[in-house]
Amino acid sequence: GEQTVYLIPEPDDDEEAERILQQVYPHVFESELDAWWTDESAWPQERTFEVFMEWFSIEIHTIIVDLVDDVLEDDWDE
């Protein structure tokens, strides 16, 4: 299936990558849950970083090539 890509600051090492993930995971967790099921009462009550890591496969890539001339839009503020 399709995967969602989230841009984060480029980490210097694995420890920094985990720190960044710990900062952004609540938003990513809720965003993904909302994409699956919009009834928040059905979402898991415990949404810790550990649960997040169990539910999702995370890949960190440090090279992204943008081949589109359009401006990037931020959907988070909608």
Side-chain angles (χ1 to χ4, degrees):
E2 271 193 47
Q3 299 172 341
T4 304
V5 175
Y6 294 90
L7 297 179
I8 62 171
E10 183 175 351
D12 292 328
D13 53 34
D14 290 344
E15 287 180 7
E16 185 176 11
E18 184 166 331
R19 281 194 300 275
I20 293 168
L21 284 175
Q22 286 183 9
Q23 291 174 359
V24 302
Y25 92 88
H27 179 78
V28 174
F29 208 161
E30 290 185 5
S31 177
E32 292 298 312
L33 289 171
D34 189 60
W36 295 338
W37 195 259
T38 57
D39 179 2
E40 292 184 26
S41 67
W43 293 3
Q45 295 302 305
E46 185 178 2
R47 293 192 296 271
T48 63
F49 183 68
E50 291 74 20
V51 172
F52 174 77
M53 295 302 288
E54 288 175 14
W55 278 48
F56 299 96
S57 296
I58 306 297
E59 296 178 11
I60 295 181
H61 300 274
T62 57
I63 299 174
I64 297 172
V65 179
D66 183 0
L67 299 177
V68 179
D69 290 333
D70 294 341
V71 176
L72 289 174
E73 294 183 24
D74 182 357
D75 291 340
W76 285 11
D77 295 330
E78 292 181 359

